């Protein structure tokens, strides 16, 4: 009995430490933390927003926008810092890892526990990329919106918001925020003839079974003058989440090159242009995910493209 208790305690502690496991970080190519020293996390955060534009194609060089750590990004980091080591969060994560993770996807797991919040751009940065102001009438479609945290940063710029999400728990989270929340199947039927002033597709292509088909569909749904905001993680490592499995997509997007700049050149020339898009602007951004009791946040390298139909 004592040995069983010891094993249970050991498993509990291991689960608390591994809610965002190191093996997943290696798979995603993520960094754990980029700050050092002591003090408020939002003041210690460091991220390289720059690119070596001389390595980009001549057509792309003048289109690059350099972001900074602004007030919206700092607010997200403060929330991450506050949630890192709270006793209830450690306990909840540990119990959830034991009870839920063997049976549900990581996305559903995060949705049930209301954790794993994401951040890419702040509202101020969306204004810069979209050229819109708060309170302007307009329609937004957010593909693969997760729990709606990133959508919320865009919401002040539109008065009509539609979201899609394959995970049922996240669909529920989106509906609770007051957004029109659709499954992919509902989206295919209900939105076939709808047009949108802006479409957001953040970090979806590398988790989509038919990413090229999706790009062509999104292009057809842009209203005249509309913008597709497309965020892509580089290096590009696609798979499809199928319950607890990770499957190879039916359609493969090939991105060549060893550097971020080479990845961008390849993605634009080999994927975006052949599928009917013109790059208006692009920037490098930290794809931030709320952490666990071990690390306050996790980070991937995103490139956000503002695209128009050719």
């Amino acid at each position: 009995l004592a040995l069983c208790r010891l094993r249970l305690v050991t498993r509990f502690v291991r689960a608390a430490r591994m809610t965002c496991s190191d093996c997943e970080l290696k798979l995603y190519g993520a960094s754990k933390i980029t700050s050092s020293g002591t003090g408020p996390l939002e003041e210690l955060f460091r991220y390289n927003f720059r690119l070596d534009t001389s390595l980009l194609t001549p057509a792309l060089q003048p289109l690059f926008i350099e972001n900074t750590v602004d007030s919206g990004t700092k607010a997200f980091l403060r929330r991450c810092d506050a949630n890192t080591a709270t006793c209830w969060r450690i306990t909840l994560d540990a119990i959830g890892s034991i009870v839920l993770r063997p049976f549900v996807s990581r996305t559903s797991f995060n949705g049930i526990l209301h954790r794993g919040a994401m951040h890419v751009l702040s509202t101020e940065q969306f204004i810069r990329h979209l050229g819109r102001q708060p309170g302007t009438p307009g329609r937004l479609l957010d593909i693969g919106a997760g729990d709606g945290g990133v959508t919320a940063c865009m919401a002040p710029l539109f008065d009509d918001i539609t979201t899609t999400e394959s995970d049922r728990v996240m669909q529920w989270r989106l509906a609770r925020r007051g957004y029109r929340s659709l499954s992919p199947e509902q989206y295919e039927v209900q939105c076939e003839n709808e047009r949108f002033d802006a479409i957001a597709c953040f970090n979806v292509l590398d988790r989509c079974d038919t990413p090229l088909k999706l790009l062509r569909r999104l292009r057809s749904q842009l209203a005249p003058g509309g913008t597709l905001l497309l965020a892509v993680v580089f290096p590009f490592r696609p798979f499809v989440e199928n319950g607890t499995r990770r499957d190879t997509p039916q359609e493969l997007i090939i991105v060549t090159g060893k550097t971020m700049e080479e990845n961008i050149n390849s993605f634009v020339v080999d994927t975006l242009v052949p599928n009917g898009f013109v790059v208006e602007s692009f920037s490098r951004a930290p794809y931030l995910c709320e952490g666990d009791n071990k690390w306050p946040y996790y980070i991937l390298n995103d490139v956000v493209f503002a695209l128009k139909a050719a």
Side-chain angles (χ1 to χ4, degrees):
L1 180 62
L3 181 59
C4 289
R5 287 177 178 173
L6 178 60
R7 287 175 177 173
L8 182 61
V9 170
T10 302
R11 187 180 178 191
F12 184 89
V13 172
R14 185 179 296 123
R17 290 178 177 174
M18 295 294 287
T19 52
C20 286
S21 65
D22 288 339
C23 61
E24 287 212 10
L25 286 173
K26 291 176 182 177
L27 178 64
Y28 296 160
S31 302
K32 289 179 179 177
I33 217 86
T34 55
S35 59
S36 59
T38 58
L41 179 63
E42 70 270 19
E43 301 301 330
L44 297 173
F45 179 75
R46 298 290 181 271
Y47 182 79
N48 180 19
F49 290 94
R50 298 183 178 88
L51 290 172
D52 186 345
T53 55
S54 68
L55 300 178
L56 298 171
T57 64
L60 290 176
Q61 290 176 9
L63 305 180
F64 176 65
I65 296 175
E66 186 174 321
N67 292 318
T68 60
V69 181
D70 65 358
S71 59
T73 306
K74 289 181 179 180
F76 179 82
L77 292 168
R78 280 195 297 272
R79 291 194 296 273
C80 291
D81 203 17
N83 289 336
T84 300
T86 55
C87 183
W88 70 269
R89 176 58 65 93
I90 295 172
T91 304
L92 189 64
D93 284 356
I95 294 174
S97 291
I98 294 172
V99 176
L100 298 174
R101 281 295 290 130
F103 308 105
V104 301
S105 69
R106 177 161 292 279
T107 303
S108 293
F109 174 75
N110 286 337
I112 292 168
L113 298 186
H114 204 186
R115 62 183 296 279
M118 303 290 185
H119 178 88
V120 180
L121 297 175
S122 67
T123 300
E124 292 75 14
Q125 290 165 339
F126 278 119
I127 291 172
R128 189 178 180 189
H129 283 70
L130 287 168
R132 298 178 62 88
Q133 294 299 319
T136 306
R139 304 193 68 204
L140 169 68
L141 170 64
D142 192 359
I143 300 292
D147 70 351
V150 176
T151 316
C153 293
M154 295 181 280
L157 310 182
F158 302 90
D159 63 352
D160 185 318
I161 299 172
T162 297
T163 62
T164 76
E165 177 56 53
S166 60
D167 185 85
R168 290 185 178 182
V169 178
M170 291 303 187
Q171 291 171 23
W172 172 71
R173 290 284 181 196
L174 290 163
R176 281 177 58 88
R177 288 180 180 266
Y179 305 141
R180 178 191 181 195
S181 177
L182 304 176
S183 69
E185 295 76 20
Q186 291 171 325
Y187 159 69
E188 288 280 345
V189 176
Q190 297 182 28
C191 297
E192 183 177 2
N193 298 315
E194 296 187 30
R195 299 295 178 266
F196 299 89
D197 299 291
I199 300 176
C201 185
F202 282 4
N203 309 304
V204 172
L205 289 189
D206 59 348
R207 299 294 177 264
C208 179
D209 201 29
T210 53
L212 297 176
K213 179 182 176 181
L214 175 62
L215 279 175
R216 291 190 291 269
R217 164 114 188 193
L218 298 182
R219 180 182 178 277
S220 71
Q221 291 197 278
L222 287 173
T227 301
L228 170 62
L229 273 184
L230 183 68
V232 182
V233 172
F234 293 120
F236 192 77
R237 296 171 180 172
F239 68 81
V240 178
E241 191 177 66
N242 186 0
T244 57
R245 292 202 325 268
R246 295 190 175 104
D247 297 332
T248 301
Q250 291 184 45
E251 294 180 339
L252 288 177
I253 292 177
I254 305 300
V255 178
T256 61
K258 296 181 179 180
T259 67
M260 176 78 73
E261 293 82 1
E262 290 173 339
N263 290 163
I264 293 170
N265 290 337
S266 171
F267 183 69
V268 171
V269 172
D270 299 329
T271 300
L272 294 182
V273 172
N275 284 280
F277 289 102
V278 174
V279 179
E280 291 280 298
S281 64
F282 67 100
S283 66
R284 185 173 181 173
Y287 178 21
L288 291 164
C289 174
E290 178 189 16
D292 48 28
N293 64 297
K294 192 175 182 182
W295 301 99
Y297 64 86
Y298 295 84
I299 186 171
L300 292 161
N301 290 308
D302 247 351
V303 175
V304 181
F305 298 91
L307 307 172
K308 300 285 188 182

